[in-house]
Amino acid sequence: MRSEGNELKRRKLSMNSKIMFLTFFIIAFSFFIAGSFVLGSMIKEREKEIGQRAMLVARTVANLPELKTSLQNENFGEASKKINQIVDEIRTINRAEYIVVMDMNRIKYSHPSKNQIGQISKSTDINAAFAEHYYLSKAKGEKGIMLRAFVPIMDENKQIGVTVVGYSLPTFSDFFSEYSNEILITFALSMLFSAFGAKALGMHIKKQIFGLEPHEIAKLYVERTETFNSMHDGIIAIDQDLKITIFNQKACEILGVDLEPSQCIGKRIEDVIPDTRLPEIVYSKKPVYDQEIFVNNHSILSNRIPISVDGQVVGAVAVFKDLTAFKKMAEELTGVKAYVQALRVQTHEYKNKLHTIAGLLHLGRTKQALEYLSQVSSQHDNVTKFLNERIYNENISGLLLGKIIRGQELGIRVTIDKESRFTRFPEKLDYHDFVVLLGNLIENAFDALIMANKDEKEIHISIDDRDEVLAIEVSDNGIGMTEEVKSQIFERGYSTKEKENRGIGLYLVKEIVKKGNGVIEVYSEPDKGTTFLISFNF
């Protein structure tokens, strides 16, 4: 146990050291780059300053009257001696490397090297100066890079010579030596703040990643991805910019997305699936539970929940499943189970009828037995024939037949309009939806009639899909509803019956009508009955 704790501590220290070293290196390197730019800028400023000084000195020398007189009126020896004395003093005072004075024949009258005096200059970059141009140039000499100022010597309107003033440019080492104290202090402060920043950033990163090593974070990411992909429900999550952050394999299968889950990450949700209704959760900041929606031509049951961090909504997640299994469960809750029970009741009823026929035959009343048998057979055949001819889906036919039989057991007469016809389902709906819809409406009517104190209890059903409209009507003469009750019957969980698993039937009816873009109307009066009228356009 102690060894595991020591190993964990060692890993955390190792991670902290790596983070601090990397952060220190990045910050120090950033300071180095910034310092290099600053030093480069300072060197350029120094070069500009030296150029201005060289030009100023060259102009000063070129405008000296004594120099002009010596160039024009004295022989070379006397002129050279006098000019050298003048420029040497100026060179010393201004700390120039050299000051060269030449006449129009390019003969040097002054130069720091005595052996150069009297020589003819062969430099090519001096040509423009003999054409009355003022300029600066760089050249590599014995003492390094030199910055030279060229100024023509003018006497009235005539050029009589050229002055060249040279200054050596400081190298990086010279500049470093000159500002060594400042650079060292700046470097020390930079390193100090780099170390402090590295430590602070390392601690912040450590806190953000919960003290995990990079390979542990990678492992967690892989495990999270595989966990989502192994789930039986589809999961999609988006951030506040509506970009996908989670998209598992089951979501691709349920919604029929051809992309791999990894290919969906980072894309905007509307570019992958335009109708998930996830963005509205980000904007409204309110969850929606157990809602049936139609996404990418697939019917799903969806829970959509905002993702909050520190009280701020940063995204939304949808957890959903294919509605096939859910609809089977809904059928159990809303009538199919009752239909099976009704078939059992029918079997029991037929046994009673067989016993009646057997009793009549035993008494020798053959005629009465035949009449009774003919009557029972005729009633069953008429109902079965009507449903087979008018209702072209056996699931709906079976449901209606089961409700008729259940009504007989409860003492409630269930009738179907003779003009009823059902040949096709509206768009987005199937027989599962209609089993839930019709089963709930009829069961709701049964409940209303069971509580009613009436001698004759009736439920009337009409289904008609002519004229491009499917109209469904379920009416009863039960207890009816007040306006207050009628305004709440489609709310999830609302019921006037104090029993468990109530308050979902009419809510499911409303959701199915909504999915099929239909309209539902309710007419009801207390003690008179209730009529539900639903219509869909094809």
Side-chain angles (χ1 to χ4, degrees):
M1 189 72 178
R2 182 178 297 176
S3 61
E4 291 179 0
N6 292 335
E7 177 65 18
L8 181 61
K9 185 176 181 181
R10 187 189 66 78
R11 286 187 179 182
K12 289 185 176 180
L13 289 175
S14 174
M15 181 197 67
N16 292 341
S17 300
K18 290 178 182 178
I19 292 175
M20 289 183 63
F21 176 77
L22 180 60
T23 308
F24 177 81
F25 175 78
I26 293 173
I27 296 175
F29 184 73
S30 300
F31 273 113
F32 173 76
I33 297 297
S36 299
F37 278 109
V38 171
L39 287 176
S41 178
M42 293 176 68
I43 290 174
K44 286 183 180 180
E45 287 296 321
R46 176 60 66 84
E47 182 179 324
K48 182 179 179 182
E49 178 188 340
I50 292 173
Q52 292 174 346
R53 185 189 302 174
M55 185 60 71
L56 178 62
V57 173
R59 285 177 179 272
T60 300
V61 172
N63 290 324
L64 291 172
E66 300 92 331
L67 186 142
K68 293 179 182 180
T69 301
S70 296
L71 280 177
Q72 287 182 300
N73 301 325
E74 297 178 2
N75 59 48
F76 176 78
E78 293 178 354
S80 175
K81 184 178 180 181
K82 187 180 290 185
I83 290 172
N84 265 295
Q85 290 176 350
I86 296 171
V87 299
D88 276 349
E89 184 178 356
I90 295 174
R91 181 177 61 82
T92 302
I93 294 172
N94 291 278
R95 298 179 181 180
E97 293 296 329
Y98 58 78
I99 299 177
V100 179
V101 177
M102 293 176 281
D103 62 12
M104 294 302 292
N105 294 320
R106 300 194 177 197
I107 298 173
K108 300 175 183 177
Y109 280 70
S110 68
H111 198 279
S113 300
K114 300 302 181 183
N115 59 352
Q116 289 291 324
I117 297 175
Q119 299 294 322
I120 297 175
S121 176
K122 296 181 180 180
S123 177
T124 56
D125 61 349
I126 200 174
N127 295 336
F130 286 96
E132 301 183 10
H133 287 287
Y134 299 73
Y135 58 94
L136 296 168
S137 75
K138 289 182 185 179
K140 188 173 183 180
E142 296 178 357
K143 297 183 179 181
I145 304 296
M146 304 295 294
L147 184 63
R148 302 178 298 172
F150 295 87
V151 176
I153 303 172
M154 306 296 297
D155 184 26
E156 296 180 354
N157 294 323
K158 181 178 69 172
Q159 183 176 0
I160 60 175
V162 171
T163 299
V164 182
V165 177
Y167 279 88
S168 63
L169 291 175
T171 62
F172 186 82
S173 60
D174 296 334
F175 202 88
F176 186 84
S177 298
E178 183 178 353
Y179 292 97
S180 59
N181 292 335
E182 291 85 348
I183 291 174
L184 289 174
I185 292 173
T186 302
F187 179 77
L189 290 174
S190 299
M191 294 301 100
L192 179 64
F193 283 109
S194 296
F196 177 77
K199 183 176 181 180
L201 185 58
M203 293 178 65
H204 177 71
I205 293 175
K206 174 186 173 184
K207 183 179 179 181
Q208 292 296 314
I209 63 177
F210 303 103
L212 297 173
E213 290 283 350
H215 70 275
E216 292 175 323
I217 297 174
K219 182 181 177 182
L220 284 176
Y221 176 78
V222 172
E223 289 176 350
R224 187 200 72 157
T225 301
E226 293 306 316
T227 299
F228 284 134
N229 285 333
S230 63
M231 294 182 70
H232 187 66
D233 293 339
I235 300 176
I236 301 175
I238 61 173
D239 59 20
Q240 57 189 354
D241 297 322
L242 308 186
K243 292 184 178 180
I244 297 173
T245 56
I246 298 173
F247 203 103
N248 72 344
Q249 184 64 43
K250 196 64 179 181
C252 293
E253 295 173 5
I254 293 176
L255 301 179
V257 177
D258 295 331
L259 301 174
E260 290 294 323
S262 59
Q263 295 175 308
C264 299
I265 305 300
K267 293 185 178 182
R268 290 182 66 85
I269 185 66
E270 62 265 25
D271 295 335
V272 179
I273 305 174
D275 49 359
T276 59
R277 298 174 68 178
L278 257 181
E280 69 185 43
I281 303 300
V282 177
Y283 300 139
S284 68
K285 303 178 182 179
K286 295 180 180 179
V288 176
Y289 297 104
D290 296 331
Q291 185 180 51
E292 181 182 353
I293 58 176
F294 205 69
V295 178
N296 204 23
N297 297 321
H298 291 78
S299 181
I300 64 172
L301 182 69
S302 171
N303 292 296
R304 305 188 305 282
I305 308 162
I307 302 172
S308 299
V309 177
D310 296 329
Q312 297 293 323
V313 174
V314 297
V317 60
V319 181
F320 54 91
K321 61 179 65 180
D322 195 325
L323 263 184
T324 303
F326 178 77
K327 285 181 178 178
K328 290 179 180 179
M329 180 179 66
E331 290 172 10
E332 287 289 322
L333 295 173
T334 58
V336 173
K337 192 172 182 180
Y339 166 57
V340 174
Q341 182 63 30
L343 291 179
R344 292 174 181 170
V345 172
Q346 184 182 34
T347 302
H348 181 71
E349 182 182 359
Y350 279 145
K351 285 183 179 179
N352 291 334
K353 291 176 180 179
L354 287 174
H355 291 159
T356 302
I357 295 171
L360 291 172
L361 292 175
H362 184 72
L363 294 173
R365 299 182 180 181
T366 307
K367 183 177 180 181
Q368 288 87 341
L370 289 174
E371 289 177 354
Y372 180 75
L373 180 61
S374 175
Q375 180 183 1
V376 171
S377 176
S378 176
Q379 289 176 352
H380 181 269
D381 290 344
N382 288 339
V383 173
T384 303
K385 181 180 179 183
F386 173 80
L387 291 174
N388 286 334
E389 290 178 351
R390 291 287 183 165
I391 308 298
Y392 293 102
N393 183 275
E394 62 275 9
N395 297 284
I396 307 302
S397 299
L399 175 69
L400 294 175
L401 179 60
K403 296 303 180 185
I404 292 172
I405 297 170
R406 175 168 165 73
Q408 293 172 357
E409 179 72 13
L410 296 173
I412 299 172
R413 185 185 178 205
V414 179
T415 60
I416 301 176
D417 193 324
K418 294 181 179 180
E419 298 298 323
S420 292
R421 190 185 75 160
F422 182 75
T423 60
R424 54 176 170 162
F425 294 102
E427 187 179 1
K428 300 181 181 179
L429 300 182
D430 56 19
Y431 76 88
H432 291 293
D433 297 303
F434 269 75
V435 167
V436 173
L437 188 149
L438 286 170
N440 272 298
L441 292 179
I442 298 171
E443 283 296 321
N444 197 68
F446 281 149
D447 291 338
L449 288 166
I450 290 172
M451 291 186 292
N453 185 19
K454 293 187 177 182
D455 295 332
E456 294 187 3
K457 300 179 179 181
E458 296 183 1
I459 296 176
H460 182 73
I461 302 168
S462 174
I463 305 174
D464 190 0
D465 65 357
R466 283 169 285 203
D467 300 325
E468 296 301 312
V469 175
L470 172 61
I472 300 172
E473 180 183 321
V474 177
S475 301
D476 66 75
N477 62 342
I479 60 173
M481 294 180 287
T482 63
E483 290 297 324
E484 180 182 358
V485 172
K486 191 167 67 172
S487 65
Q488 302 178 73
I489 56 173
F490 295 112
E491 294 179 8
R492 183 183 179 88
Y494 177 81
S495 177
T496 58
K497 310 166 191 71
E498 297 180 358
K499 294 183 181 180
E500 294 183 358
N501 299 324
R502 290 290 187 175
I504 192 173
L506 291 179
Y507 168 78
L508 290 175
V509 170
K510 181 195 72 172
E511 291 298 310
I512 292 170
V513 173
K514 182 179 178 181
K515 184 174 71 169
N517 296 320
V519 177
I520 184 168
E521 299 175 72
V522 183
Y523 306 95
S524 183
E525 289 186 41
D527 298 324
K528 290 188 178 181
T530 302
T531 297
F532 287 88
L533 179 61
I534 299 173
S535 60
F536 300 96
N537 291 320
F538 290 112

